[in-house]
């Protein structure tokens, strides 16, 4: 029997060697306070500067296109804080001013939408590369990532932040570049984190034989509830600054990755 196929358990069953861990970021690998007190304010405070400096680039024009579509939808649905974005004919300054107002409202409402997350990722990219930002992970994270990788477990990230933002956070951490331990990144383009179908999509992408071969670690109860019906093993991360969990939630909890 090939070693890749599995190992023979004492009961005669084949136990699969291949297993994946999918990690949330905020409240799981990284303090919530880093996201709310560092990353979000940096993006909010630099929206205008970023758009002005990169306005004519293909990347920023694509970001603006996504934002226009989102804002139009928001206006039609009466979303608070949404203001019309003038056409390009109105001039760069007026377009940017309207974009800034919309983005500030989106950030304030902590909206998990692709248009916002893509722009934030591009703003943070500048910050990380200019050494104005440094990613923060809990002290137990690097050792766990190294240990899991050494044992053949494939580790992925699933966050509402864009894949670019995820790569930046783990590429420029207080422990150096941790991306060598990560096999891939999932964001809201795979689906909302509180919807079960998103976890079916991730399972299909990872190519495991059984969803139970995937461990999902998150601090958010609603995400745990969504992942469980998809067949994933779920652990809830309990970190300093995380929100309270419901009584009798029924999930295993850990305070450190050393427990996994």
């Amino acid at each position: 029997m090939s070693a890749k196929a599995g190992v023979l358990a004492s009961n005669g069953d084949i136990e699969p060697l291949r297993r994946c861990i999918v990690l949330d970021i905020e409240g799981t690998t990284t303090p919530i306070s880093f996201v709310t007190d560092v990353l979000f304010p940096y993006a909010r405070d630099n929206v205008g500067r970023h758009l002005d400096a990169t306005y004519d680039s293909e990347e920023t024009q694509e970001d603006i296109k996504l934002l226009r579509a989102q804002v139009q939808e928001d206006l039609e649905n009466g979303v608070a804080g949404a203001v019309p974005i003038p056409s390009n004919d109105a001039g760069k300054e007026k377009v940017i001013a309207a974009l800034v107002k919309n983005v500030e409202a989106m950030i304030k409402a902590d909206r998990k939408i692709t248009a916002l997350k893509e722009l934030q990722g591009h703003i943070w990219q500048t910050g990380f590369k200019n050494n104005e930002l440094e990613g923060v992970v809990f002290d137990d994270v690097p050792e766990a990532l190294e240990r899991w990788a050494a044992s053949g477990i494939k580790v992925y990230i699933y966050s509402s932040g864009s894949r670019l933002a995820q790569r930046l956070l783990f590429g420029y951490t207080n422990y150096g570049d941790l991306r060598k331990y990560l096999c891939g990144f999932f964001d809201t383009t795979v689906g909302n984190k509180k919807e079960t179908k998103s976890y079916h999509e991730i399972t299909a992408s990872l190519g495991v034989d059984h969803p139970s071969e995937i461990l999902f670690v998150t601090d958010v109860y609603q995400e745990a509830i969504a992942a469980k019906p998809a067949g994933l093993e779920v652990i809830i991360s309990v970190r300093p600054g995380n929100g309270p969990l419901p009584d009798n939630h029924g999930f295993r909890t850990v305070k450190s990755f050393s427990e996994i």
Side-chain angles (χ1 to χ4, degrees):
M1 180 175 61
S2 166
K4 291 183 179 179
V7 294
L8 194 63
S10 57
N11 62 1
D13 292 341
I14 300 297
E15 292 183 347
L17 285 176
R18 184 177 185 182
R19 189 167 177 207
C20 305
I21 296 177
V22 178
L23 301 171
D24 167 55
I25 294 179
E26 187 178 347
T28 301
T29 67
T30 297
I32 290 176
S33 59
F34 174 71
V35 179
T36 58
D37 299 344
V38 178
L39 287 185
F40 284 178
Y42 183 90
R44 182 192 64 224
D45 296 344
N46 287 280
V47 174
R49 184 180 77 164
H50 173 81
L51 291 174
D52 183 64
T54 63
Y55 189 80
D56 294 320
S57 71
E58 184 177 338
E59 181 178 85
T60 294
Q61 284 300 311
E62 185 60 32
D63 286 344
I64 292 173
K65 182 180 175 182
L66 285 172
L67 286 165
R68 281 187 182 278
Q70 183 64 58
V71 169
Q72 184 58 40
E73 182 181 319
D74 290 349
L75 289 168
E76 291 170 2
N77 293 328
V79 174
V83 298
I85 301 173
S87 68
N88 290 336
D89 295 338
K92 173 179 171 180
E93 289 185 5
K94 289 184 178 179
V95 172
I96 289 177
L99 286 166
V100 168
K101 286 182 179 178
N102 280 288
V103 171
E104 286 177 346
M106 292 173 180
I107 292 175
K108 186 176 181 181
D110 191 21
R111 297 184 64 190
K112 313 292 188 184
I113 46 177
T114 300
L116 172 63
K117 298 303 179 180
E118 288 293 316
L119 176 64
Q120 283 178 322
H122 293 140
I123 295 171
W124 291 329
Q125 183 173 39
T126 300
F128 279 109
K129 292 192 173 179
N130 290 345
N131 295 316
E132 296 172 357
L133 289 172
E134 181 182 64
V136 174
V137 296
F138 289 109
D139 293 339
D140 54 273
V141 171
E143 185 277 332
L145 293 178
E146 184 177 7
R147 173 166 49 85
W148 294 333
S151 64
I153 296 172
K154 295 185 176 182
V155 183
Y156 299 83
I157 302 297
Y158 181 27
S159 171
S160 55
S162 69
R163 286 174 293 181
L164 169 62
Q166 297 173 37
R167 291 196 301 271
L168 290 167
L169 193 152
F170 287 99
Y172 297 85
T173 81
N174 48 330
Y175 285 93
D177 189 347
L178 300 177
R179 291 173 297 180
K180 59 189 173 186
Y181 302 122
L182 302 173
C183 295
F185 303 87
F186 296 100
D187 61 11
T188 51
T189 56
V190 82
N192 189 296
K193 294 182 73 183
K194 296 178 182 179
E195 295 179 3
T196 298
K197 64 181 181 181
S198 305
Y199 300 91
H200 287 303
E201 286 291 328
I202 288 174
T203 299
S205 296
L206 298 188
V208 294
D209 292 326
H210 302 286
S212 59
E213 295 173 41
I214 304 169
L215 168 62
F216 176 53
V217 187
T218 180
D219 66 306
V220 180
Y221 173 69
Q222 294 91 335
E223 295 175 5
I225 287 292
K228 190 174 181 181
L232 280 68
E233 179 189 356
V234 181
I235 290 177
I236 293 183
S237 168
V238 178
R239 299 285 198 176
N242 285 11
L245 294 169
D247 293 334
N248 304 314
H249 55 72
F251 290 98
R252 179 188 166 195
T253 62
V254 296
K255 294 182 177 180
S256 167
F257 283 0
S258 63
E259 300 174 50
I260 302 173

